[in-house]
Amino acid sequence: MAIRSAVPAAAKKKPMRKQNSTIQKLLRNPKIPFAVALLFADAILVALIITYVPYTKIDWDAYMSQVSGFLGGERDYSNLKGDTGPLVYPAGFLYVYSAIQYVTGGQVYPAQILFGFLYIVNLGMVLFIYLKTDVLPWWALSLLSLSKRVHSIFLLRLFNDCFATTLFHAALISFLYQKWHLGLLIFSGAVSVKMNVLLYAPPLLLLMLKAMDIIGVISALAGAALVQIVLGLPFLLSHPIAYISKAFDLGRVFIHFWSVNLKFVPEPVFVSRGLALFLLVAHLSLLTIFAHYRWCRHEEGLFSLLHSRIVQMKLRTFPLKQFNSHHSNFRHIRMEHIATTMFAGNFIGIVCARSLHYQFYSWYFYSLPYLLWRTPFPTWLRLILFTTVELCWNIYPSNVYSSVLLLGAHLIILGGLWSASHEYPYEDYPNYKSSNSKKKGN
C-alpha cells in the first residue's frame, strides 16, 4: 500500500516542476510579462476609445452597400457600388464584411467592438512575432501601442486594411515556423481582402526559393492561386472580365488630395504615367539590389540562387541518391532573416508608392520598430524617426512639408537597412546563439 501511494505523490511533483520552470523562464525574460501587460493595457485603451471617442464615417456605409448588393444576388462587379464609388477589392472582402453585417446588423457600434477584438488579436500576433525574433529591447515593444493613427484605423474607421493586416501577420507566423504551404493559403486570403499584401510577394518568393525546391514553390503558389479561384468563383463564372478588371486593377490613380507621401508633387505630375513608370522602375530596382547584395549575400547573389534552384530541378531527373546529395542546400531559415526580408521588402514598396492614404499606415506600422532596430542607428535616432513618421501620419490634411518630411524619414530608414551589418540567414550557423545574445544587448 505504501508503494502505491508513493507513485501518485511522485507524479504530482512533476507538474510543479514544470510550473516552476515556466515561471523561471518568465522571470529571466522580461519581454514576455511586459508583452502580456502591454496587451492588457492596450485592451483597456481600446475600450475607452470605443466608448468615448466619436466614430468617423468614411467607408462603412459604402462597404455595407456593396455587401448588400452581393447578398441580394448581384454578381457583376461593375454594379457593386457604394457612396464612395465602385467596389475595387477582391471577393474575400465581400465574404468578410458580409459576415460582419450578419453579426452586427450593419450597425457601427457593435462593429467597433468586433474591430476592437480584431485589434487585440492582431497586436497579440505582432507581439508574438517580436518575441520570437527577439530584435527589440523589452521597453521598445511599447512603441507598438503608441500610434494614434493605427488605433483610429481599427476602431474609428473600420477599414478592410485591418483584416488584411491581421491575416498577413497570421501568415507570417506560419512562415517563421517554415510552414510555407499553410502560410501561402493564409497569405492568399489576406490578398483577397486587399491587394496591398502583394507588396510582400517578392521577398516571400525569394524566401521560398531558399527554403524549398522549385516543385515545392510551384505547389505552394498553386495552393495560393486556388484560394483566389475558389473565393472568386461566383464572379468568375458569371462576369469574369468585370471581376478581374475591378478587383485586381493595378493601374488605379488615386486622388492627389488624399496623398500623405507625395503631396509636394504637383497634381498633373502626380497623376501622370511618367511618375507611375518611374516609381515602378525604382521599386523593382530596389528589390533587385536588396535581393542580390543583401538578402542573397550568403548564396553569392540573387542570380546564383536562381541558377542553383534550376540545377536542383534538373537533378530530379537523375537517380534519387544523386539528388539527395545536393538536397542539403535546403535548410531552415532563421526567423530573424524571414521577418527582416519580409518587412524590408514591403517597406521598399511603401517608399516607392505613388500614393499613401491614411489607412495605408497599417500596411507597415507594425514593422516599423522592427526595421528601425535592424538599422545601425543609435537608439535616440530610431526614436526620432519613429516619432517623425507617426507625426506625419497624424497631420490632416497632409501638406507639402509633412509629405517631404515623411519621405525623408522613409529614405533614411531605407538607407539604414542597406548599411546594416550582414547576418547569416540559416539556423545551422555555429555561432548563431552567441551572435544572437550579443545582438540583444543593442
Side-chain angles (χ1 to χ4, degrees):
M1 293 295 293
I3 295 175
R4 290 179 181 176
S5 62
V7 173
K12 290 179 180 178
K13 293 180 180 179
K14 291 183 179 180
M16 290 296 295
R17 290 178 181 176
K18 290 183 179 180
Q19 291 177 4
N20 291 334
S21 63
T22 302
I23 295 173
Q24 289 174 357
K25 288 181 180 178
L26 291 174
L27 293 175
R28 284 199 301 267
N29 186 2
K31 290 185 180 181
I32 297 176
F34 184 78
V36 173
L38 186 65
L39 200 61
F40 276 102
D42 211 335
I44 296 172
L45 178 60
V46 164
L48 293 174
I49 292 173
I50 294 174
T51 304
Y52 295 106
V53 180
Y55 161 78
T56 305
K57 175 185 173 182
I58 298 182
D59 283 346
W60 176 256
D61 289 344
Y63 290 171
M64 292 300 100
S65 296
Q66 293 159 355
V67 163
S68 296
F70 165 65
L71 295 176
E74 182 61 66
R75 296 297 180 264
D76 187 347
Y77 243 62
S78 59
N79 293 331
L80 293 174
K81 301 177 181 179
D83 57 6
T84 58
L87 177 58
V88 293
Y89 309 122
F93 161 83
L94 286 174
Y95 301 129
V96 169
Y97 277 84
S98 293
I100 294 174
Q101 188 186 73
Y102 177 79
V103 173
T104 65
Q107 300 300 309
V108 169
Y109 182 68
Q112 285 183 280
I113 297 174
L114 179 62
F115 272 78
F117 282 108
L118 180 69
Y119 175 90
I120 295 302
V121 169
N122 178 64
L123 179 59
M125 288 193 294
V126 171
L127 288 170
F128 180 82
I129 292 168
Y130 274 74
L131 291 175
K132 295 302 293 184
T133 52
D134 201 18
V135 169
L136 269 66
W138 66 269
W139 59 266
L141 294 175
S142 61
L143 298 176
L144 296 167
S145 292
L146 295 182
S147 174
K148 176 183 177 182
R149 177 60 64 186
V150 170
H151 280 93
S152 174
I153 291 169
F154 271 83
L155 308 174
L156 305 177
R157 305 296 190 272
L158 313 181
F159 287 122
N160 61 327
D161 306 73
C162 307
F163 278 93
T165 298
T166 303
L167 284 172
F168 166 72
H169 289 141
L172 181 56
I173 290 174
S174 296
F175 298 145
L176 294 183
Y177 284 94
Q178 319 287 319
K179 306 295 184 182
W180 300 101
H181 286 77
L182 174 61
L184 255 292
L185 296 178
I186 304 173
F187 183 86
S188 185
V191 172
S192 76
V193 177
K194 193 157 188 177
M195 277 205 310
N196 70 280
V197 182
L198 286 175
L199 290 176
Y200 290 99
L204 174 57
L205 179 60
L206 182 67
L207 291 170
M208 290 168 60
L209 287 171
K210 288 187 176 188
M212 299 186 290
D213 60 13
I214 295 293
I215 303 302
V217 173
I218 293 175
S219 64
L221 293 176
L226 184 61
V227 170
Q228 295 298 322
I229 293 173
V230 170
L231 292 176
L233 199 58
F235 311 98
L236 291 171
L237 292 176
S238 55
H239 300 84
I241 296 177
Y243 175 66
I244 294 173
S245 62
K246 294 292 184 180
F248 299 96
D249 183 8
L250 297 175
R252 252 193 325 148
V253 179
F254 293 99
I255 300 174
H256 181 256
F257 174 81
W258 292 109
S259 178
V260 179
N261 61 325
L262 293 183
K263 203 60 170 290
F264 61 90
V265 176
E267 187 170 0
V269 178
F270 179 83
V271 300
S272 67
R273 289 192 175 185
L275 178 62
L277 181 61
F278 169 77
L279 292 173
L280 176 62
V281 171
H283 185 191
L284 296 177
S285 299
L286 284 171
L287 284 174
T288 303
I289 292 171
F290 268 77
H292 185 72
Y293 292 102
R294 294 201 58 84
W295 302 334
C296 295
R297 180 183 177 88
H298 294 276
E299 293 82 11
E300 299 182 357
L302 172 63
F303 304 107
S304 176
L305 173 66
L306 295 176
H307 179 264
S308 69
R309 293 306 172 254
I310 293 173
V311 171
Q312 288 290 337
M313 185 171 65
K314 291 180 179 179
L315 285 174
R316 295 182 75 90
T317 61
F318 286 78
L320 186 62
K321 182 177 179 180
Q322 184 176 356
F323 172 71
N324 286 340
S325 66
H326 295 268
H327 196 68
S328 59
N329 289 336
F330 303 102
R331 293 167 287 181
H332 278 265
I333 305 175
R334 285 177 53 198
M335 291 184 176
E336 294 90 335
H337 182 67
I338 293 173
T340 300
T341 304
M342 292 291 285
F343 287 154
N346 177 67
F347 186 71
I348 289 173
I350 295 295
V351 173
C352 297
R354 174 157 57 164
S355 183
L356 295 176
H357 291 188
Y358 284 98
Q359 64 267 35
F360 296 1
Y361 190 29
S362 62
W363 296 3
Y364 76 107
F365 164 75
Y366 288 107
S367 67
L368 194 56
Y370 187 99
L371 293 174
L372 286 169
W373 259 262
R374 298 307 277 174
T375 67
F377 300 149
T379 299
W380 63 266
L381 181 55
R382 293 166 178 162
L383 294 177
I384 288 177
L385 288 169
F386 178 87
T387 305
T388 300
V389 172
E390 175 68 19
L391 174 65
C392 291
W393 280 99
N394 282 282
I395 294 176
Y396 177 83
S398 61
N399 54 58
V400 171
Y401 304 105
S402 65
S403 60
V404 168
L405 187 60
L406 180 63
L407 180 60
H410 283 171
L411 292 176
I412 292 173
I413 295 171
L414 189 63
L417 293 172
W418 174 258
S419 60
S421 60
H422 295 277
E423 293 190 354
Y424 192 73
Y426 300 104
E427 291 182 355
D428 58 1
Y429 189 49
N431 296 324
Y432 164 62
K433 291 184 178 180
S434 60
S435 63
N436 197 36
S437 62
K438 290 179 182 178
K439 176 188 65 179
K440 294 177 187 177
N442 294 337

